[in-house]
Amino acid sequence: MKSFIVSFLLLVIGLTSPITQASSIVTGEDGYRLWMKYDLLQNKSLRKAYQKQLTKWSVVGQSETSQIIRDELDYALSGLLGQSEPAGYRSANLVVVTGRLATRWIPDLGDELSKLGDEGYIIRQVEHNNKSVIVVTANTDIGALYGTFNLLRLVQTQTPLDAVDISSAPKTKVRVLNHWDNPDRHVERGFAGESIWDWHKLPHYKYQKYTDYARANASIGINGTVLNNVNADPIMLTPAYLEKVKALADLFRPYGLKVYLSIKFNSPATLGGLKNSDPLNPQVAKWWDKKIAEIYQLIPDFGGFLVKANSEGQPGPGDYGRTHAQGANMLADALKPHGGIVMWRAFVYANEKNEERSKQAYSEFKPLDGKFRENVMVQVKNGPIDFQPREPISPLFGATQETPMMMEFQITMEYLGFSTHFVYLGPMYEEVLKTDTYAKGKGSTVGKVVAGEVYDYPLTGMAGVSNIGSDRNWTGHIILQSNWYVFGRMAWDYNISAEQVAEEWTRMTLSNKSAVVKKVTEMMMLSHEATVNYMTPLGLHHIMGTGHHYGPAPWVDDLGRADWNPVYYHRATKGGIGFDRSPSGVNAVEQYFSPLKEQLADPKSTPEKYLLWFHHLPWDYKVKSSGRTLWDEIVHRYYLGVDQVAQISQSWDSLQGQIDPLQFKQVQMANTIHLKEAIWWRNACVLYFQTFSQRPIPPGLDKPQGTLDTYKAMEFPYAPGQGE
Ligand code: BDP
């Protein structure tokens, strides 16, 4: 009887339980492992070849970094090849060795290594004692770590190693992520959860994620991290927080990752109780001296400071009538004896200046060339305004012979669809880095300027505003991991192509099947252009929603500052659209070198992608590439953008069953949002601009759904990532 009751109850529970079909337990790739998956290689013949070449390995060295290399090799090779055997250096087929000892395997090494500097490396197949050995060597253990990651990348992407011979050294010295993370874990412009730094639990509680973060950065050559927001909270410089910073620095050190902090310029007054924070006040300089000594006491290899000053309400030397150079130099002098640097941001603009916003950074910093100390870099955003989906280059690149311009890219997608739009930023970074400034004649590309190859800068660097958060998959969207990845790869080598990086990232993260690699690479390469098309085609810019920057709001005209309003930027009237920055307008083109200056001065020679950035043109203006009127062309591009997103989404759907189901589903869900939002962008913008153009939607295109009023009425008080 008892067993009958039990069976009956079980039956009832079974019938009412929703778990009837597929299991609710899902395992698979959730994105945590990033591009360091190391799953067993499916290509058997290659796997066999690698097993012969790599299974028996030896890492010569005793440092913490050497141990990290051992751990990584063991973990990676066991995974990729199903075999890993630490061996003595005599019997090993793979040897990782630092410094002159390498001549034991490469007797004719000469000064090859010394030319590669502190971070470069060589990976070479040699004959040694009648057997083939692969040698990874560098001047330092960190260089050897980078080399090891490169070797693993070759295996992960199934590149044969026979006769491998690679020498590589970074083209820029400082390759840093900028975290816009606040002490309360809110990330300004962050769309992947909270800050990964749990300040409250530091210094004692150290998540494994911190170590994995350092590993991931080392794997792509990133060698620094600015832990906190440029809109800095002075609390970061208090003793309690410096202990927390130290805990992270200690974890990151063996991965070659230096720690930097953003500082608030008025800290001497707010934290130190001084009367002011004037950089020429000796008390102020003294306060910084002491504070900096305190930091180095805790963190002997501390990197230095990132400073946002006199920008968007932040305090700065201008508050005391001093220049940016005077402010930066005061900090640089205090950091110098410890080896620290200052990254001083050029993102400054003010309403009161009576100069068009896109021109202000140049006007402010160009005259200061030569006035900065040797341990200062000026960190400038890639475009003259502000991380728009597409901008021409900032005219500051190439304009300063003595002051290093450091590149600042945004990796997080503040203006590009947050973390639900499928946008690979490689093509955008490449477009910027390969643009010719003509600073010293043809071929003076932005990449070369930044790398100190046009002018011999004492310091060089690239910064990327991080898209990392507490989300399990780090970046909120699997595909957006590739933006962290490509930033690192291009900071190391500005010459590398976005396509090559897309392909290698796909192989490491999604699949090595060539059909999948081809498809995903194509989607990635299309994605940035698609986004520009449905958001801001033909050089339109800054027409996003107020404050949060989510979605379209080209109609906004009531913000406190003229240059915060979308209408300031697109200037649509019944007569036409676009911003006249040519000599007949605000003449922003004068800040560029010839022949770029002349090219951009004339709508006929301006690349169409920047047309409305530099020119105000009538709606009937004939667009060269298509022969359409400007109005028709704008509308066509908005529609094209949506079609391209639909194409990406369908293409992704066709991969079902060919990649991990969890990865597949995450991206598929995001694609649904992406398409919906692309349509929203298109409809809202086309309807709005139509009120000026008063022209019909060109034949062959559907009428946009909805009414302008409904789009205008949309509000998003809780959109993620908002600023202060
Ligand atoms: C803007 C962001 C703002 C940042 C600012 C900056 O909206 O949150 O503080 O850039 O770079 O694009 O300082």
Side-chain angles (χ1 to χ4, degrees):
M1 185 63 186
K2 212 162 155 199
S3 72
F4 170 74
I5 293 173
V6 171
S7 326
F8 178 72
L9 279 177
L10 282 176
L11 181 70
V12 172
I13 292 167
L15 287 175
T16 51
S17 155
I19 312 164
T20 46
Q21 292 169 7
S23 169
S24 61
I25 309 297
V26 180
T27 53
E29 191 62 40
D30 59 11
Y32 184 80
R33 298 188 298 168
L34 294 163
W35 46 86
M36 299 172 292
K37 283 167 67 178
Y38 305 146
D39 288 337
L40 190 69
L41 287 181
Q42 297 305 311
N43 181 330
K44 282 200 189 118
S45 59
L46 249 184
R47 194 166 79 215
K48 263 210 166 127
Y50 288 144
Q51 281 169 347
K52 252 176 99 185
Q53 290 167 314
L54 305 173
T55 299
K56 280 175 128 190
W57 54 266
S58 173
V59 178
V60 185
Q62 298 307 321
S63 71
E64 257 187 281
T65 304
S66 309
Q67 189 52 42
I68 283 169
I69 297 174
R70 273 184 207 109
D71 294 345
E72 195 72 29
L73 273 179
D74 196 29
Y75 174 58
L77 297 177
S78 313
L80 288 161
L81 310 182
Q83 290 180 5
S84 159
E85 204 184 301
Y89 65 86
R90 282 197 185 84
S91 58
N93 300 322
L94 163 64
V95 177
V96 181
V97 57
T98 302
R100 297 310 301 170
L101 262 181
T103 48
R104 195 185 177 114
W105 289 270
I106 316 177
D108 55 349
L109 196 56
D111 62 351
E112 249 187 280
L113 258 192
S114 56
K115 284 193 201 136
L116 295 174
D118 281 352
E119 297 177 307
Y121 55 82
I122 293 171
I123 306 174
R124 184 168 298 163
Q125 190 263 328
V126 296
E127 292 300 315
H128 180 68
N129 289 346
N130 298 324
K131 94 177 168 192
S132 167
V133 178
I134 291 179
V135 183
V136 177
T137 185
N139 291 307
T140 66
D141 291 341
I142 298 299
L145 178 65
Y146 291 149
T148 303
F149 275 118
N150 188 342
L151 178 71
L152 292 174
R153 180 162 64 232
L154 297 175
V155 177
Q156 287 175 280
T157 55
Q158 304 197 352
T159 315
L161 293 176
D162 316 305
V164 63
D165 189 0
I166 295 175
S167 307
S168 184
K171 292 198 158 71
T172 56
K173 290 190 185 127
V174 178
R175 306 175 300 278
V176 286
L177 290 181
N178 287 184
H179 286 266
W180 287 359
D181 295 20
N182 293 339
D184 65 0
R185 298 193 80 172
H186 174 73
V187 181
E188 185 160 340
R189 312 312 175 182
F191 312 103
E194 294 190 290
S195 168
I196 55 170
W197 319 128
D198 189 340
W199 293 108
H200 185 71
K201 287 190 185 164
L202 280 166
H204 303 297
Y205 199 105
K206 291 171 253 188
Y207 289 89
Q208 176 59 31
K209 198 163 188 176
Y210 300 157
T211 305
D212 291 332
Y213 165 86
R215 264 181 75 218
N217 281 320
S219 78
I220 49 176
I222 290 175
N223 67 0
T225 173
V226 185
L227 298 174
N228 62 318
N229 195 351
V230 286
N231 297 318
D233 189 322
I235 199 172
M236 296 306 297
L237 292 181
T238 59
Y241 274 77
L242 289 176
E243 285 291 344
K244 298 169 195 275
V245 173
K246 171 188 162 50
L248 291 176
D250 288 345
L251 270 182
F252 297 165
R253 185 168 298 112
Y255 293 89
L257 194 65
K258 271 192 186 180
V259 157
Y260 300 75
L261 288 175
S262 297
I263 55 126
K264 201 152 198 109
F265 197 77
N266 64 359
S267 296
T270 54
L271 274 187
L274 298 190
K275 271 212 198 71
N276 59 42
S277 299
D278 180 352
L280 298 195
N281 173 353
Q283 297 301 318
V284 169
K286 225 169 156 185
W287 187 88
W288 282 113
D289 271 345
K290 256 185 85 187
K291 182 50 78 185
I292 286 166
E294 181 190 337
I295 297 175
Y296 279 91
Q297 193 71 38
L298 293 166
I299 309 165
D301 58 349
F302 180 70
F305 292 150
L306 171 62
V307 193
K308 173 175 178 178
N310 293 123
S311 163
E312 299 186 325
Q314 292 298 324
D319 304 349
Y320 311 97
R322 315 296 184 201
T323 66
H324 286 284
Q326 286 170 317
N329 291 344
M330 181 255 314
L331 295 170
D333 288 341
L335 285 160
K336 173 104 194 186
H338 309 277
I341 65 165
V342 176
M343 297 168 283
W344 190 272
R345 294 179 88 224
F347 180 66
V348 297
Y349 62 100
N351 230 9
E352 306 72 44
K353 287 256 164 73
N354 213 14
E355 187 183 34
E356 201 272 303
R357 174 167 166 186
S358 76
K359 298 177 74 176
Q360 290 188 25
Y362 179 99
S363 303
E364 186 95 36
F365 283 90
K366 164 86 178 149
L368 296 176
D369 187 19
K371 303 245 157 68
F372 291 95
R373 299 280 190 269
E374 287 228 323
N375 56 336
V376 179
M377 279 190 282
V378 171
Q379 182 172 311
V380 57
K381 291 188 183 184
N382 59 277
I385 300 260
D386 192 358
F387 293 145
Q388 293 305 292
R390 169 170 279 137
E391 295 196 30
I393 57 164
S394 162
L396 272 171
F397 293 113
T400 55
Q401 302 204 10
E402 289 174 66
T403 307
M405 285 294 140
M406 180 179 180
M407 172 62 75
E408 180 177 321
F409 280 129
Q410 195 171 41
I411 308 174
T412 189
M413 301 218 302
E414 173 181 3
Y415 296 97
L416 278 151
F418 290 11
S419 61
T420 46
H421 293 207
F422 183 124
V423 190
Y424 169 54
L425 295 174
M428 188 191 98
Y429 298 162
E430 180 174 350
E431 177 175 302
V432 172
L433 293 169
K434 298 210 166 137
T435 299
D436 202 339
T437 67
Y438 295 97
K440 256 177 45 187
K442 203 167 158 41
S444 314
T445 60
V446 171
K448 284 190 183 165
V449 170
V450 170
E453 293 170 17
V454 173
Y455 309 117
D456 188 15
Y457 294 147
L459 256 181
T460 57
M462 271 201 221
V465 180
S466 150
N467 62 347
I468 297 163
S470 59
D471 276 9
R472 179 75 188 157
N473 68 15
W474 300 84
T475 56
H477 186 312
I478 302 280
I479 297 295
L480 303 184
Q481 295 177 350
S482 67
N483 292 333
W484 175 8
Y485 184 85
V486 69
F487 167 75
R489 300 283 285 125
M490 287 193 180
W492 182 278
D493 180 2
Y494 63 81
N495 264 328
I496 199 169
S497 85
E499 188 165 5
Q500 181 194 323
V501 177
E503 196 183 312
E504 70 184 35
W505 176 83
T506 303
R507 286 182 180 277
M508 295 195 287
T509 312
L510 299 174
S511 167
N512 252 318
K513 286 184 209 141
S514 44
V516 177
V517 175
K518 188 163 174 277
K519 252 194 191 156
V520 176
T521 305
E522 274 167 16
M523 290 178 224
M524 289 171 76
M525 291 305 290
L526 176 66
S527 60
H528 174 254
E529 201 63 48
T531 307
V532 171
N533 283 333
Y534 65 77
M535 282 188 180
T536 53
L538 293 167
L540 289 173
H541 51 288
H542 223 303
I543 54 176
M544 290 78 190
T546 303
H548 46 62
H549 300 149
Y550 174 57
W555 44 81
V556 172
D557 61 1
D558 59 352
L559 304 181
R561 288 171 58 149
D563 56 8
W564 277 347
N565 288 293
V567 297
Y568 168 93
Y569 293 100
H570 63 67
R571 310 210 156 193
T573 63
K574 296 224 154 64
I577 184 168
F579 201 137
D580 188 358
R581 295 192 171 103
S582 78
S584 62
V586 298
N587 202 10
V589 299
E590 73 176 344
Q591 295 180 334
Y592 295 98
F593 289 91
S594 290
L596 193 54
K597 182 195 301 221
E598 291 76 17
Q599 189 193 55
L600 298 174
D602 182 352
K604 292 209 182 64
S605 48
T606 301
E608 274 171 16
K609 56 188 175 187
Y610 307 132
L611 196 59
L612 303 176
W613 185 284
F614 290 109
H615 306 284
H616 184 86
L617 299 167
W619 294 108
D620 285 330
Y621 176 84
K622 251 229 165 75
V623 174
K624 212 170 31 185
S625 66
S626 65
R628 295 189 185 111
T629 65
L630 179 56
W631 165 250
D632 281 4
E633 183 66 19
I634 290 177
V635 180
H636 262 102
R637 298 244 180 163
Y638 272 110
Y639 276 75
L640 175 65
V642 171
D643 289 349
Q644 289 168 325
V645 174
Q647 189 186 325
I648 289 172
S649 171
Q650 280 161 15
S651 199
W652 184 264
D653 287 348
S654 75
L655 295 176
Q656 184 156 22
Q658 300 196 64
I659 52 179
D660 178 273
L662 267 187
Q663 286 181 319
F664 175 78
K665 200 171 155 205
Q666 283 189 32
V667 176
Q668 192 181 45
M669 289 187 293
N671 284 345
T672 311
I673 303 174
H674 187 180
L675 185 56
K676 228 173 107 189
E677 294 186 355
I679 295 172
W680 167 35
W681 263 96
R682 176 195 73 191
N683 291 347
C685 291
V686 167
L687 286 172
Y688 170 72
F689 290 129
Q690 195 177 28
T691 63
F692 298 98
S693 82
Q694 302 188 324
R695 282 158 171 78
I697 303 297
L701 301 178
D702 297 334
K703 282 222 167 68
Q705 314 98 324
T707 65
L708 189 51
D709 284 340
T710 20
Y711 291 118
K712 282 187 177 175
M714 290 167 78
E715 279 183 41
F716 307 96
Y718 302 115
Q722 298 192 47
E724 292 167 342

